Amino acid sequence: MRAGIEAINIYCGSAAINVVELAKHRQLNIDRFENLLMKEKTVPMPYEDPISNGVNAAKPILDALTEEEIESIDMLISCSESGIDFGKSMSTYMHDYLKLSRNCRLFELKNACYSGTAGLQMAVNFILSGTAPGRKVLVIATDIMRMSTVEGAAMEMSFVEPSSGSGAVAMLISDKPKIFEIDKGASGYYGYEVMDTCRPVPDKEAGDSDLSLLSYLDCCENSFKEYQKRVEDADYQDSFQYLVFHTPFGGMVKGAHRTNMRKFKKAKPDQIERDFQERVAPSLEYCQRVGNIMGATTYLALVSMIEKGNFETPKRVGIFSYGSGCCSEFFSGIIHPESQALISSLAIEEHLDERVVLSMEEYENTFGVNSEIKFGTRDFKIDTSLFPKPFSKVKGKKKLIFSEIKNYHRIYEWV
């Protein structure tokens, strides 16, 4: 039996900022900043949250299905580290606004940036188990990092701020893998406890950035070594025409690929740079414009790879997924020529181009409202008139927005 991604879509909000301008505004070390290999990042507006983003990513997928196909969705998995409640799964809200069948399993996975892969693998193995032939799973990886004011001052600024983004990737998993066909059993995983990065509260990251880099590099190497044990004759360079990595920022990916090429292939600097440009760089283009969307980032990189790569013939892609704390996995699959045509029809580049690029003043004006809708807020109504330019990009476009919290219950509306 075949299994994998039948359909995929992204939604990355209505506003963005130029991160080079942000770095200058924060007086960060520009030489160091350039190593991030970033251009823009999505800024979450107050009327956008992980649920609205997830629904907006998934809705076009469902709109393309027949009623019978929608009824065949047996499971909805939300994957996130941006929780809005300790107990209530975001999948319940998504299920409601997407109008899915009530005969549907709804739950949420939290595992830092590994959550999207955990959801994908759970869905794929449900399909491969054959327990429910012809059924489908909807996996929605959605994450957000709001910058806000804390005790009257801007939260601690660092290189986390320019690299953290907002958005969602929705994936329909089935036995018709038109986008990505997973290699069954071809997977190596590696994990251990490490305090590299954590989210003690929803709008702030804590941890050790140097330790995070070292843990990422360690996992990238050792998850592939485990993959080699399980896949006969697997070779880091020769087995994969393209590589996709979890992308906190492009520079981290480049460093990991450089390390692996040295360790597995004894490659020289010029060989490594050429290989990076050919096999890895296409996956970074959308990530450079959105920022790190945690559990969804690996699949944003996959979408970028499919659109920007050459898939005139089927190609094998190796994927490295990492989540702080930590858990990692290296797995692989096949991209077919039809995959690229399907991705191109999504007009993702146009979606990113349509976002309003905010000034630094407009960006920082969101901080105050973000503070008022922090985790645990009981009642609040969003005033969309405070942000007319970004809101004009969703108004009349049949997008779901986050409009109100009423006795802890989140309320959304289509605009």
Side-chain angles (χ1 to χ4, degrees):
M1 181 187 290
R2 302 165 68 213
I5 303 173
E6 177 181 336
I8 192 167
N9 190 46
I10 77 164
Y11 182 75
C12 293
S14 56
I17 54 170
N18 181 309
V19 292
V20 177
E21 293 304 312
L22 175 62
K24 291 176 181 176
H25 185 65
R26 297 281 182 247
Q27 298 182 324
L28 299 178
N29 182 318
I30 294 300
D31 291 337
R32 184 183 173 197
F33 175 79
E34 287 176 353
N35 292 329
L36 296 183
L37 300 180
M38 285 197 62
K39 299 174 182 176
E40 299 171 316
K41 77 162 192 169
T42 292
V43 176
M45 303 309 293
Y47 52 81
E48 296 167 338
D49 76 351
I51 293 164
S52 66
N53 285 342
V55 169
N56 287 330
K59 186 67 162 58
I61 293 176
L62 300 186
D63 287 346
L65 299 179
T66 64
E67 252 184 67
E68 184 180 2
E69 288 173 324
I70 293 172
E71 284 291 319
S72 74
I73 297 173
D74 255 13
M75 194 183 305
L76 194 166
I77 309 173
S78 56
C79 311
S80 182
E81 63 181 66
S82 303
I84 51 84
D85 186 278
F86 282 119
K88 185 175 172 62
S89 168
M90 291 191 291
S91 65
T92 59
Y93 284 103
M94 296 172 184
H95 172 267
D96 185 37
Y97 285 94
L98 290 170
K99 299 187 183 306
L100 295 178
S101 164
R102 291 203 170 190
N103 302 116
C104 187
R105 187 177 285 148
L106 310 174
F107 61 97
E108 186 159 308
L109 293 173
K110 180 189 79 69
N111 203 311
C113 299
Y114 178 73
S115 62
T117 295
L120 170 69
Q121 292 288 14
M122 180 167 285
V124 163
N125 283 289
F126 171 74
I127 301 300
L128 291 175
S129 73
T131 56
R135 311 301 282 183
K136 304 177 192 290
V137 181
L138 183 60
V139 176
I140 301 178
T142 178
D143 266 301
I144 191 170
M145 170 65 86
R146 294 193 191 277
M147 298 297 153
S148 62
T149 54
V150 178
E151 295 178 357
M155 69 174 284
E156 181 183 357
M157 299 301 172
S158 68
F159 284 88
V160 170
E161 185 186 16
S163 62
S164 59
S166 170
V169 178
M171 299 177 281
L172 187 67
I173 312 302
S174 76
D175 58 3
K176 298 180 178 63
K178 298 175 184 177
I179 300 294
F180 173 77
E181 180 179 351
I182 203 159
D183 289 329
K184 289 184 287 187
S187 181
Y189 16 93
Y190 189 77
Y192 48 90
E193 194 280 321
V194 60
M195 194 62 171
D196 59 334
T197 302
C198 69
R199 297 270 294 269
V201 293
D203 56 359
K204 185 174 182 178
E205 285 204 2
D208 183 326
S209 58
D210 291 332
L211 182 59
S212 184
L213 173 59
L214 292 172
S215 181
Y216 182 98
L217 294 174
D218 180 38
C219 286
C220 193
E221 175 186 351
N222 283 291
S223 62
F224 181 69
K225 283 181 177 178
E226 183 62 22
Y227 179 95
Q228 285 182 307
K229 291 178 185 177
R230 300 179 184 217
V231 180
E232 189 175 358
D233 298 324
D235 181 272
Y236 184 77
Q237 187 169 27
D238 297 336
S239 296
F240 315 102
Q241 286 72 56
Y242 288 105
L243 292 167
V244 168
F245 295 73
H246 168 56
T247 307
F249 52 87
M252 200 163 182
V253 169
K254 191 167 189 178
H257 180 62
R258 180 171 58 243
T259 300
N260 278 4
M261 286 292 287
R262 286 172 176 168
K263 290 192 172 184
F264 293 121
K265 303 301 295 181
K266 310 295 184 197
K268 303 297 183 186
D270 60 331
Q271 295 173 295
I272 295 172
E273 179 63 25
R274 185 166 56 252
D275 190 77
F276 174 79
Q277 294 300 331
E278 290 176 358
R279 291 200 300 150
V280 182
S283 72
L284 301 183
E285 292 201 25
Y286 292 154
C287 297
Q288 288 177 312
R289 299 192 60 190
V290 174
N292 183 11
I293 46 175
M294 296 75 173
T297 306
T298 304
Y299 302 96
L300 178 63
L302 177 64
V303 167
S304 181
M305 173 65 74
I306 295 172
E307 178 133 37
K308 304 300 181 179
N310 181 344
F311 293 97
E312 292 178 0
T313 58
K315 303 282 175 68
R316 175 162 280 109
V317 173
I319 300 179
F320 171 65
S321 177
Y322 174 82
S324 293
C326 71
C327 184
S328 67
E329 184 166 352
F330 189 100
F331 62 103
S332 62
I334 301 295
I335 306 295
H336 295 283
E338 68 170 332
S339 307
Q340 191 169 55
L342 291 168
I343 293 294
S344 295
S345 69
L346 301 177
I348 290 169
E349 199 145 4
E350 288 86 340
H351 163 48
L352 297 181
D353 288 343
E354 286 175 355
R355 294 171 303 169
V356 171
V357 178
L358 304 176
S359 67
M360 289 302 108
E361 182 182 4
E362 289 171 323
Y363 166 59
E364 292 182 342
N365 282 344
T366 68
F367 290 13
V369 182
N370 289 344
S371 297
E372 294 186 78
I373 53 174
K374 64 182 182 297
F375 187 91
T377 298
R378 179 168 185 161
D379 296 288
F380 190 79
K381 191 164 180 63
I382 306 294
D383 184 357
T384 57
S385 68
L386 295 174
F387 309 98
K389 287 191 290 185
F391 188 66
S392 71
K393 297 299 180 180
V394 297
K395 180 73 172 174
K397 304 288 178 63
K398 296 181 180 177
K399 301 297 183 189
L400 191 71
I401 65 162
F402 170 40
S403 61
E404 187 177 0
I405 304 174
K406 199 169 186 179
N407 197 23
Y408 300 116
H409 187 223
R410 293 202 165 208
I411 298 170
Y412 299 82
E413 61 182 89
W414 295 98
V415 295

